Amino acid sequence: MRQVDVELRNVVKAFPTRHESGQLVAVDNVSLEIYRGEFFALLGPSGCGKTTTLRMIAGFEDATSGEILIRGQAVQNVPPFHRPVNTVFQDYALFPHMTVLENVMFGLEMEGVSKKEARKRAQEALEMVRLHQAEDRRPRQLSGGQQQRVALARALVKKPAVLLLDEPLGALDLKLRKALQYELAALQETLGITFIYVTHDQEEAMTMADRIAVMNAGRVLQVGTPEEIYETPATEFVADFIGETNFLRGDILEVNNPFAQVCLDETLTIKAAFNDQALTSGSRVTVAIRPEKVNLFSATGPVKYADGTNESPEEHRELLLRDPDINLVRGRVLRANYIGTDTRYVVSIGQNQQLVARVQNYGLRSDTTFHIDQEVYIFWDAEHSRVLTE
Amino acid sequence: MARTLSPSRITTETIHYDANRIRRDMAVRKIGKIGLLLNPIFTYFFLWAPILLLVIFSFNDSRSVSTWRGFTLRWYNNIFNDIVGTEARFSTGLMLNALGNSLFVGIIATIIATIIGTAVALSLARGNYPGKRFVDSLLYLPVVIPEITQGVSLLIFFNVLFDFMSTVTGQRAQFGFGTIIIAHVAFNISYVAIVVRARLADMNPRLEEAARDLGANEWQTFWRITFPLILPGVISGALLAFTLSLDDFVITFFTSGVGTTTLPVFVYGLLKLSVTPEINAISTLILVVSTVLIGISMLIQGRNATRL
């Protein structure tokens, strides 16, 4: 079993509000286990409680109730300067009246490390982030990316058990952010230090994290690997927050393993995978389908193959329907947006439903694109339509 | 897949400009521009003309203030050489003595007010206790209430205090440097606290968190991070307090005793007979010192504002 570095047990944080006896629950009964050496992301929209959770682990906020353990030790009454964690702040919080080197040395000096030793170790840390040539500069003379790296060196020089990062790339432009994402992930892998990374950027979390906890309104909705979170979202919020998703409302007709029959309207019934074993027929549910899992072909023109052979739409349809675990419906293109790597189609299906499909532009434009009002067939594997639990 | 715009949605109307209206609006704009230009000229003339007149006539080679007779440094020379026209009570020694008193009171009051004012600012900026907002608003009271009210209230306060002390100890305390310094500290605390508070408000609270995160306790955090960063605010607050203390007349007048005459009180004493050119010269010197001090204070605040 993997060792747990940070554990949260039923942690609640409520802030008093201006109103009498009113309070704002920022973190609502959160329990998490973060393993040693893991890159763990806390992901959610602003105000979801992810930063408050991080600040409680750092020791800047006290939990209203519940327990926080770092390396098995409860840290309720331990002030931040005695916790084996260090933080990289969103705005870096570099000391403006100190040089870069002095900033990095500060933490070691507070430990009582001799000035000479602190200097040596700080220079090593700056070398690690490739900023040793800037050690005599002031923080405001550095670019955002450089400041970010100084903040990283300043925290890592303390050799913390856990490094807390509060949207450390949030203030940087996209290109730099991408570059630093890979750099950070590589650094974490070399050092083997547990990283807890707060972000509202789902792509960033997916790129870097080993595991992600998706938060909303103070609660943790789902914890899992990026793939688990993306492919099998537990709730509508998770499915919606991570990537683009179609949500279709319908009623369960019958439940037979592994798929449930979901009636979207009188003319349209699809098969969908489900997690909830207590699912019963007749209940109203939401089905999620990722736009890139959906395929289109023309209902009017021939389907062309790579070897030059053609097939009529009906023949192609028959062929596909031999697979019992496929959903195939007819529809009409309402909108088409060319966005480079793929084209995004909005297709009307059933009586009054809409489905977004993303089709990769792999071939010549004329082969893979459809025009508005074109009649099309839409198909996808039944396991890609998922019944969400409320 | 390209969509075409339906022709009916494209407007074919031409846009008409009303030349008269444009002309009228431009005229209004021109008047406004001239008004904006004249406004500060009049205002500053109103503010500075009397002071400018004082400075000019301190260099006037005539006892009369109505005519200009050429440039002279005679009055400045006079005040440092014991010669002040017919004014018998003036002597350079007395003036320098008053100046010495002013500096003594100013320095002691500034040191005490700066320490207390900084502590108050820290408490208001970082503390979290009930009634903080109320205390916060009280801070501005000494800035807005009339000096005469403060002077009279301090006079009554000291009298009550001395009465009480004499019944307890049997000895009656006297008005003197002690009372003046306490009075100056009382009104200067607010000014120092307001300046330091502004500095603290500009400071990123994450800096203190970062220090604690890196292993500094509260004491280390204050001396290594907070204090160096608010120091410009503390210095400019102190300079402001020193200037106010040096210039204060009303409150000092009510709280001074025998032999503790400060420079402004001394000048007031000279005024009782007539306004002589020497008074203009002394006043000009006080004005120069105050302006320089305030200038330095503002410079420190301004130059470091971008550093946080």
Side-chain angles (χ1 to χ4, degrees), chain A residues 18 55 60 80-81 85-87 89 91 93-98 106-107 109-110 154 158 336 365 371, chain B residues 1 3 133 204 206-218 220 224-225 228-229 306-308:
Chain A
R18 284 270 170 82
R55 288 173 61 79
F60 301 136
F81 46 92
V85 299
N86 287 111
T87 309
F89 293 87
D91 51 9
L94 298 177
F95 306 130
H97 59 301
M98 296 184 190
F106 183 83
E109 282 174 51
M110 292 301 117
R154 187 176 70 173
K158 300 270 292 176
R365 224 183 123 101
H371 58 80
Chain B
M1 64 178 270
R3 255 185 299 172
R133 275 148 62 93
N204 181 356
R206 298 279 167 275
L207 293 175
E208 286 170 356
E209 280 180 0
R212 292 200 295 146
D213 187 72
L214 292 166
N217 59 32
E218 275 79 3
Q220 290 166 319
R224 293 286 306 266
I225 306 299
L229 289 174
T306 49
R307 273 192 50 186
L308 292 185

Side-chain angles (χ1 to χ4, degrees), chain A residues 65-209:
Chain A
S65 69
E67 261 194 310
I68 297 172
L69 294 94
I70 301 174
R71 295 250 160 118
Q73 296 279 312
V75 290
Q76 260 76 305
N77 297 310
V78 182
F81 46 92
H82 286 310
R83 294 191 186 197
V85 299
N86 287 111
T87 309
V88 176
F89 293 87
Q90 181 169 16
D91 51 9
Y92 321 129
L94 298 177
F95 306 130
H97 59 301
M98 296 184 190
T99 65
V100 166
L101 187 67
E102 283 166 349
N103 262 280
V104 182
M105 281 170 67
F106 183 83
L108 295 173
E109 282 174 51
M110 292 301 117
E111 275 176 33
V113 176
S114 75
K115 207 134 195 164
K116 204 174 143 220
E117 171 75 9
R119 195 181 179 81
K120 196 177 131 255
R121 277 164 64 182
Q123 281 168 335
E124 281 168 11
L126 282 171
E127 220 158 301
M128 182 179 70
V129 295
R130 302 194 317 277
L131 268 179
H132 43 287
Q133 74 287 359
E135 62 175 46
D136 291 326
R137 285 205 245 161
R138 299 269 168 164
R140 73 202 150 104
Q141 294 173 294
L142 303 179
S143 70
Q146 287 173 323
Q147 288 185 31
Q148 202 277 329
R149 296 218 292 265
V150 176
L152 198 63
R154 187 176 70 173
L156 286 174
V157 79
K158 300 270 292 176
K159 297 195 164 54
V162 181
L163 186 73
L164 308 175
L165 302 103
D166 186 6
E167 309 228 11
L169 309 180
L172 305 175
D173 61 66
L174 186 70
K175 265 261 155 63
L176 189 59
R177 200 157 72 218
K178 289 263 181 241
L180 283 173
Q181 278 174 15
Y182 291 107
E183 219 171 287
L184 259 182
L187 189 69
Q188 192 268 340
E189 211 156 295
T190 348
L191 295 171
I193 293 174
T194 310
F195 275 32
I196 303 179
Y197 192 103
V198 161
T199 181
H200 66 270
D201 182 342
Q202 45 106 1
E203 212 182 310
E204 193 166 285
M206 302 278 278
T207 309
M208 293 194 281

